[in-house]
């Protein structure tokens, strides 16, 4: 039991030294695999203590000798100062003005490889690299240089790195600590490997290292640390020939929790877009590692941006892991299991499923690098809180202003703010958890309408922006991004009120029309059916009760006491 619990913690939260790096999910779609020719990367930043905000760093020029302070992204702890670059790029979220995208998931890996003296953590690697690199290949070089120069302060990470032409998976881990005799670390730096995803394919990772064997003589498609194999031998992780070396097996050995809690999310995405994924079901269930999930697959048809949006909302629906189908979903099909990740009954330990959509998401996005427009016209489709009951709104990568509702400092995990999107979306979502089978459906209709409309609107904005010089284009794209985010906030505020009126106390009030009619009417009170007396008293209320499975479970548990006697 203790071994299983440790396995799940390592797989889902990183090593014991880095438990603040909670489980995240990335899906990657190459140009040739997308319906519009964009490169897409999705990311859910999942943590019980991460506040959902949109980070922004303006472009800058710096004098020689300027320094940049580095703070651990998870804890806020100061790590060190490093030399500032002479020029930095504008970044918005996990994208920069050149349409470079970087996202991550933590796999933790072998705990003895943690370097407590490291000067730069995984989050800082992402955001500093976005300020300094233009392309995916430049980003890989920058990450390696930063980690090797200043020491790596986090556990094992998988990075998604993409630009307008290419998409890569890069996996890295520290080398632990060995005293160099001067108080420093003789093993400072990382071992790593990066593979380019073939055009026309999709990939993903979710808190388990996924790069197994890799070509040693194909620098166009595979890059790696010169000591990635020799260091594994030195540490006793590997004894075979170089050509058969597997990064993930050496540095993040596969266990039940890694398959069931991590790889299963990638499998669920693959099965929605590609054929033949049923062969990996036992692997996803954690029953057998004999037939390992491939690093990438070719989709049956090209994948649209909306399909990627919706893939981030997955709860294993339609699979044996469907979180709406068992008694754990309660009487209203709620696809969430509150933590901890495991529980014990009569000496047997059980796991709660960990799906792509989860309650502890701070923020999430689907980023698009689009080669048919200017590099500064990439789009970060951005949202906060649980992906299944929240909504994405377009933020252009050259935006120089953060909407008030997404601004850092507008509230925190310990401070409610009425103007914060994170708190508003959490209000709506936590209410939905109470009657998920009904409330989530109303939310989804609003989400789909917003996202589909804006997927069409951005084409019109693109057309207008392309006719403008760069500075005016930046102003237009910034204004559009900020204004639409605030429009979404206002719409969600009305949705919040609508859901409370409709579903208060477990009842369902009758309506004239649907949620869209409520959101656009000037007299929301007239939306609900009254009793005809001229007073605002409900005239039709439904009492939907509970699911059949739940009723049968209650009857089995307390039937003798609850049975109606005649």
């Amino acid at each position: 039991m203790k071994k299983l619990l440790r396995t799940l913690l390592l797989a889902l939260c990183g090593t014991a030294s880095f438990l603040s790096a909670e489980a995240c999910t990335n899906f990657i779609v190459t140009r040739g695999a997308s319906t519009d020719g964009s490169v897409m990367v999705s990311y859910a930043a999942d943590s019980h203590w991460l506040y959902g905000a949109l980070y922004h760093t303006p472009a800058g020029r710096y004098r020689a000798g300027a320094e940049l302070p580095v703070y651990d992204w998870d804890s806020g702890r100061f790590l060190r100062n490093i030399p500032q670059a002479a020029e930095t790029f504008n970044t918005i979220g996990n994208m920069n003005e050149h349409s470079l995208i970087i996202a991550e998931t933590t796999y933790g890996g072998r705990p003895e490889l943690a370097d407590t003296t490291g000067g730069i953590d995984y989050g800082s690697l992402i955001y500093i690299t976005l300020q300094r690199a233009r392309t995916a290949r430049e980003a890989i070089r920058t990450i390696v240089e930063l980690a090797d120069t200043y020491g790596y302060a986090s556990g094992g990470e998988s990075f998604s790195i993409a630009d307008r032409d290419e998409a890569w998976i890069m996996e890295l881990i520290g080398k632990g600590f060995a005293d160099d005799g001067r108080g420093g670390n003789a093993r400072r730096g990382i071992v790593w490997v990066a593979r380019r995803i073939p055009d026309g394919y999709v990939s993903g990772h979710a808190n388990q290292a996924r790069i197994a064997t890799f070509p040693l003589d194909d620098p166009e498609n595979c890059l790696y640390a010169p000591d990635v194999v020799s260091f594994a031998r030195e540490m006793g992780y590997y004894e075979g020939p170089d050509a058969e070396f597997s990064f993930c097996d050496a540095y993040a050995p596969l266990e039940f929790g890694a398959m069931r809690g991590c790889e299963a999310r990638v499998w669920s995405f693959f099965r929605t877009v590609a054929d033949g994924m049923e062969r990996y079901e036992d692997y996803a269930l954690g029953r057998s590692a004999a037939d390992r999930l491939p690093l990438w697959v070719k989709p049956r048809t090209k994948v649209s941006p909306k399909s990627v949006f919706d893939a981030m909302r997955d709860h294993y629906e339609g699979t044996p892991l469907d979180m709406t189908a068992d008694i754990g979903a309660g009487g209203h099909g709620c696809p969430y299991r509150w933590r901890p990740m495991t529980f014990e009954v009569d000496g047997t330990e059980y796991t709660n499923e960990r799906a792509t959509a989860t309650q502890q998401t701070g923020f999430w996005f689907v980023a698009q690098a689009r080669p048919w427009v200017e590099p500064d016209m990439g789009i970060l489709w951005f949202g906060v809180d649980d992906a299944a009951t929240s909504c994405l709104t377009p933020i252009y990568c050259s935006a120089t202003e953060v909407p008030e509702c997404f601004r850092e400092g507008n509230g925190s995990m310990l401070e409610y703010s009425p103007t914060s999107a994170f708190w508003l979306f959490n209000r709506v979502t936590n209410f939905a958890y109470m009657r998920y089978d009904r409330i989530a459906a109303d939310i989804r209709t609003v989400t789909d309408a917003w996202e589909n409309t804006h997927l069409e609107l951005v084409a019109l904005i693109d057309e207008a922006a392309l006719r403008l010089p760069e500075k005016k284009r930046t102003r237009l794209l910034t204004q559009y991004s900020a204004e639409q985010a605030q429009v979404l906030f206002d719409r969600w505020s009305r949705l919040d009120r609508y859901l409370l009126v409709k579903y208060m106390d477990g009842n369902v009030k009758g309506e004239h029309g649907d949620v869209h009619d409520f959101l656009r009417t000037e007299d929301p009170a007239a939306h609900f059916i009254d009793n005809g007396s001229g007073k605002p008293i409900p005239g039709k209320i439904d009492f939907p009760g509970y699911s059949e499975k739940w009723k049968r479970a209650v009857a089995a548990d307390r039937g003798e006491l609850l049975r109606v006697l005649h």
Side-chain angles (χ1 to χ4, degrees):
M1 185 271 285
K2 290 182 178 178
K3 181 179 179 182
L4 172 60
L5 179 58
R6 179 178 179 276
T7 297
L8 286 167
L9 284 173
L10 289 176
L12 300 177
C13 300
T15 67
S17 300
F18 301 99
L19 290 179
S20 57
E22 285 271 327
C24 306
T25 307
N26 286 186
F27 301 143
I28 310 167
V29 180
T30 59
R31 282 181 61 176
S34 65
T35 54
D36 60 2
S38 65
V39 179
M40 291 183 277
V41 175
S42 71
Y43 177 48
D46 300 332
S47 167
H48 294 280
W49 42 84
L50 175 65
Y51 189 72
L54 181 60
Y55 314 134
H56 172 244
T57 304
R61 293 183 182 274
Y62 299 89
R63 56 176 171 74
E67 292 190 322
L68 174 68
V70 178
Y71 297 90
D72 180 83
W73 188 61
D74 287 319
S75 68
R77 178 174 61 93
F78 173 74
L79 294 176
R80 62 167 297 154
N81 288 317
I82 67 172
Q84 178 61 280
E87 179 185 13
T88 60
F89 306 127
N90 184 78
T91 72
I92 193 84
N94 288 56
M95 199 171 191
N96 75 12
E97 63 183 282
H98 300 288
S99 287
L100 175 65
I101 307 160
I102 308 178
E104 59 78 32
T105 73
T106 300
Y107 66 82
R110 295 185 181 273
E112 67 270 21
L113 298 184
D115 176 9
T116 57
T117 68
I120 192 161
D121 67 294
Y122 78 97
S124 299
L125 278 178
I126 291 174
Y127 295 110
I128 294 172
T129 297
L130 285 169
Q131 294 173 44
R132 300 184 179 196
R134 290 178 173 83
T135 68
R137 290 174 189 263
E138 283 185 19
I140 293 169
R141 290 195 296 269
T142 302
I143 287 169
V144 173
E145 180 183 357
L146 288 168
D148 284 349
T149 302
Y150 305 111
Y152 180 57
S154 298
E157 286 286 330
S158 299
F159 286 153
S160 301
I161 306 174
D163 57 30
R164 301 198 305 161
D165 297 312
E166 300 180 329
W168 292 71
I169 291 181
M170 179 183 189
E171 296 192 326
L172 58 88
I173 194 167
K175 300 180 182 180
F177 179 82
D179 196 327
D180 64 3
R182 301 184 301 275
N185 185 4
R187 291 184 185 158
R188 183 174 60 192
I190 55 175
V191 285
W192 59 276
V193 60
R195 297 202 65 181
R196 187 176 72 87
I197 302 166
D199 194 39
Y201 286 73
V202 303
S203 187
H205 50 91
N207 306 113
Q208 170 58 29
R210 306 204 63 239
I211 299 178
T213 57
F214 53 91
L216 301 174
D217 56 356
D218 185 10
E220 184 64 22
N221 298 296
C222 184
L223 304 168
Y224 55 90
D227 61 345
V228 67
V229 181
S230 61
F231 181 74
R233 284 203 185 92
E234 175 187 335
M235 296 298 293
Y237 304 152
Y238 183 67
E239 297 179 350
D242 287 6
E244 297 177 11
F245 175 76
S246 166
F247 182 91
C248 59
D249 289 321
Y251 295 112
L254 196 64
E255 299 183 67
F256 170 81
M259 291 185 282
R260 182 66 167 262
C262 303
E263 292 279 75
R265 282 176 267 157
V266 180
W267 168 75
S268 193
F269 169 59
F270 282 2
R271 67 180 292 276
T272 65
V273 299
D275 296 324
M277 293 300 107
E278 61 276 356
R279 65 177 285 187
Y280 303 107
E281 185 174 295
D282 277 352
Y283 177 80
L285 292 172
R287 293 171 177 169
S288 172
D291 202 359
R292 193 167 194 148
L293 194 67
L295 183 57
W296 47 63
V297 297
K298 190 172 185 63
R300 67 178 71 90
T301 59
K302 293 191 175 186
V303 181
S304 70
K306 186 66 167 86
S307 295
V308 182
F309 298 178
D310 293 341
M312 295 299 290
R313 299 181 165 111
D314 180 64
H315 305 109
Y316 299 123
E317 287 89 349
T319 79
L321 303 179
D322 190 338
M323 296 174 73
T324 67
D326 65 34
I327 196 62
H332 299 289
C334 184
Y336 297 95
R337 306 296 181 266
W338 314 133
R339 302 301 184 250
M341 288 297 302
T342 63
F343 60 97
E344 186 174 310
V345 177
D346 297 333
T348 300
E349 192 170 21
Y350 300 90
T351 181
N352 287 313
E353 306 299 351
R354 188 347 185 155
T356 298
T358 187
Q359 64 269 24
Q360 73 266 21
T361 299
F363 65 84
W364 66 293
F365 66 75
V366 175
Q368 281 190 283
R370 307 183 302 159
W372 65 90
V373 292
E374 294 296 327
D376 62 358
M377 293 175 65
I379 297 181
L380 185 82
W381 295 89
F382 185 80
V384 289
D385 194 34
D386 178 355
T389 44
S390 64
C391 192
L392 295 173
T393 193
I395 306 289
Y396 278 88
C397 70
S398 56
T400 58
E401 172 189 331
V402 173
E404 172 64 19
C405 61
F406 292 143
R407 179 179 57 81
E408 286 187 90
N410 184 7
S412 72
M413 289 296 278
L414 300 178
E415 178 188 10
Y416 179 84
S417 169
T419 58
S420 159
F422 180 78
W423 280 114
L424 174 61
F425 278 85
N426 267 281
R427 282 170 57 93
V428 172
T429 294
N430 277 269
F431 187 59
Y433 292 156
M434 299 171 62
R435 299 294 298 272
Y436 198 86
D437 52 350
R438 289 176 175 264
I439 298 177
D442 277 344
I443 295 172
R444 185 60 181 269
T445 63
V446 178
T447 294
D448 287 346
W450 176 272
E451 291 173 352
N452 288 328
T453 296
H454 282 75
L455 282 163
E456 296 177 358
L457 275 179
V458 294
L460 301 177
I461 299 300
D462 290 347
E463 185 179 346
L466 286 170
R467 293 197 294 264
L468 299 174
E470 184 176 354
K471 288 185 178 180
K472 289 186 177 181
R473 181 168 70 238
T474 298
R475 286 197 293 271
L476 171 65
L477 300 180
T478 298
Q479 180 182 1
Y480 174 76
S481 301
E483 287 181 352
Q484 292 308 301
Q486 291 300 142
V487 171
L488 176 62
F489 180 88
D490 293 341
R491 181 166 298 189
W492 228 255
S493 296
R494 297 187 73 180
L495 176 62
D496 180 31
R497 297 191 291 272
Y498 164 83
L499 294 172
L500 179 61
V501 173
K502 182 177 178 180
Y503 292 105
M504 184 179 66
D505 296 335
N507 306 321
V508 182
K509 293 184 177 70
E511 304 173 86
H512 301 293
D514 59 16
V515 59
H516 298 292
D517 295 312
F518 178 90
L519 294 179
R520 60 176 166 256
T521 183
E522 294 182 3
D523 184 11
H527 177 80
F528 292 100
I529 296 172
D530 62 32
N531 67 359
S533 66
K535 302 291 185 180
I537 299 171
K540 180 183 179 184
I541 295 181
D542 184 26
F543 305 102
Y546 298 88
S547 68
E548 183 66 20
K549 177 171 283 193
W550 181 256
K551 288 186 286 187
R552 289 184 178 277
V554 172
D557 180 51
R558 301 280 282 176
E560 287 302 311
L561 180 64
L562 300 176
R563 184 163 57 90
V564 176
L565 302 177
H566 296 285

